[in-house]
């Protein structure tokens, strides 16, 4: 590809972005009582927020419905054509519907608007047709009109679809903030993501259990502790009484220091262990456990239940493997 062609392509891209930004900038001055009313309708919805459109509007509608659902508003997308062939049965008077159409004159509205009115379903219109049948039937009209599309032929939805997307995002985030929706709420709808791992997982969800717990009795020796350290590879062993209460901890670092100071493998563990030693509650959030490790400059800890009995063990590598970082 020659340099003049490359420069031309860059210019085409820049012209489109400049054109879309210019049209999008005008939306700022159109956020008025209609936007407030649309937000209030969504906040007052006891059922679902249904988003519907066809064509490019439908594609944008799917994204708007997904944004609403992931930010605290129960929502789903319904294709406008499918609504006329049975899907409208999913909508009732406890719902609010967002109808998207730039012209506001899609033929489907001739059938669907009277039914929605009969059901007493609040209608939010996202349209550029301020005098269209859709706008006239709506409780709230969000104006996404443009002077021209960024498409040089003025045919492909470009600036208009961008404006629609921006209005949808503005609705979702404004409502989210009004609800006081926070990071932990967001994580609940994204449990498989990194944020979900950080905010939802607790120590008990990622700790080692059963035979993987490094533990020895109070009557054990340093040699027993060394064997348990080698067996589990955690870097720490919990010293417990007969009731599984932790009396102290002994780490591989403690072992090295003991031997360097002329200690022996036959020394009683209860004389050289760190007592009581740090332990983590099983219900502590995993992200908080990582902070504890960093604050105390430790890499592992035993885990206890509400009765202070040993139920698990965890180290910093377990946290990292679970996506906690």
């Amino acid at each position: 590809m020659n340099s003049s062609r490359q420069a031309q392509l860059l210019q085409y891209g820049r012209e489109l972005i400049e054109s879309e930004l210019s049209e999008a900038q005008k939306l700022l001055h159109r956020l008025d009582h209609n936007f407030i009313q649309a937000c209030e309708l969504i906040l007052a919805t006891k059922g679902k927020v249904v988003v519907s459109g066809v064509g490019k509007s439908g594609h944008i509608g799917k994204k708007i419905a997904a944004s609403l659902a992931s930010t605290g508003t129960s929502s789903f997308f319904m294709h406008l054509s499918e609504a006329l062939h049975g899907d409208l049965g999913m909508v009732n008077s406890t719902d609010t519907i967002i109808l998207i159409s730039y012209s506001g004159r899609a033929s489907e509205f001739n059938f669907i608007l009277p039914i929605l009115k009969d059901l007493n379903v609040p209608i939010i219109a996202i349209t550029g047709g301020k005098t269209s049948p859709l706008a006239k039937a709506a409780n709230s009209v969000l104006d996404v009109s443009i002077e021209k599309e960024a498409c040089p032929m003025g045919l492909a939805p470009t600036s208009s679809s961008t404006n629609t997307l921006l209005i949808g995002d503005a609705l979702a985030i404004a409502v989210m903030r009004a609800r006081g929706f926070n990071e932990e709420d967001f994580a609940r709808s994204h449990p498989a993501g990194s944020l979900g791992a950080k905010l939802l997982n607790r120590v008990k969800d990622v700790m080692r259990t059963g035979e993987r717990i490094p533990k020895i009795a109070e009557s054990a020796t340093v040699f027993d502790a060394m064997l348990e350290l080698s067996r589990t590879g955690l870097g720490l062993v919990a010293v417990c009484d007969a009731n599984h209460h932790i009396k102290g901890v002994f780490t591989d670092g403690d072992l090295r220091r003991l031997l360097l100071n002329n200690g022996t493998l036959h020394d009683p563990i209860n004389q050289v262990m760190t007592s009581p030693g740090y332990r983590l509650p099983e219900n502590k959030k995993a992200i908080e456990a990582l902070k504890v490790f960093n604050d105390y400059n430790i890499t592992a800890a035993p885990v206890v239940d509400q009765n202070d009995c040993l139920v698990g063990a965890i180290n910093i590598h377990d946290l990292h493997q679970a996506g906690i970082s």
Side-chain angles (χ1 to χ4, degrees), residues 140-270:
S140 172
V141 179
L142 301 178
D143 178 13
V144 292
S145 61
I146 57 169
E147 292 184 12
K148 64 176 182 177
E149 296 284 6
C151 166
M153 297 179 292
L155 300 175
T158 45
S159 298
S160 60
S161 57
T162 297
N163 276 11
T164 302
L165 180 62
L166 287 172
I167 280 291
D169 283 346
L171 273 177
I173 300 307
V175 169
M176 178 194 79
R177 295 178 70 175
R179 291 188 196 280
F181 192 86
N182 59 32
E183 284 186 341
E184 191 162 334
D185 296 320
F186 188 86
R188 289 192 182 96
S189 59
H190 299 74
S194 59
L195 183 62
K198 289 180 180 179
L199 297 181
L200 299 183
N201 278 331
R202 298 188 179 272
V203 169
K204 64 183 178 182
D205 299 319
V206 297
M207 69 184 186
R208 305 181 188 199
T209 59
E211 292 299 315
R212 301 178 67 206
I213 304 173
K215 60 180 178 179
I216 55 176
E218 289 180 278
S219 58
T221 65
V222 172
F223 181 75
D224 297 318
M226 183 186 71
L227 292 178
E228 191 70 350
L229 286 168
S230 300
R231 182 185 73 83
T232 59
L234 187 78
L236 170 147
V237 59
V239 183
C240 300
D241 63 17
N243 295 316
H244 306 293
H245 292 129
I246 300 172
K247 310 307 289 186
V249 296
F250 190 76
T251 68
D252 49 10
D254 293 331
L255 175 61
R256 290 191 296 272
R257 285 185 289 272
L258 175 73
L259 297 177
L260 286 172
N261 290 322
N262 299 318
T264 74
L265 295 179
H266 301 293
D267 289 345
I269 195 66
N270 59 11

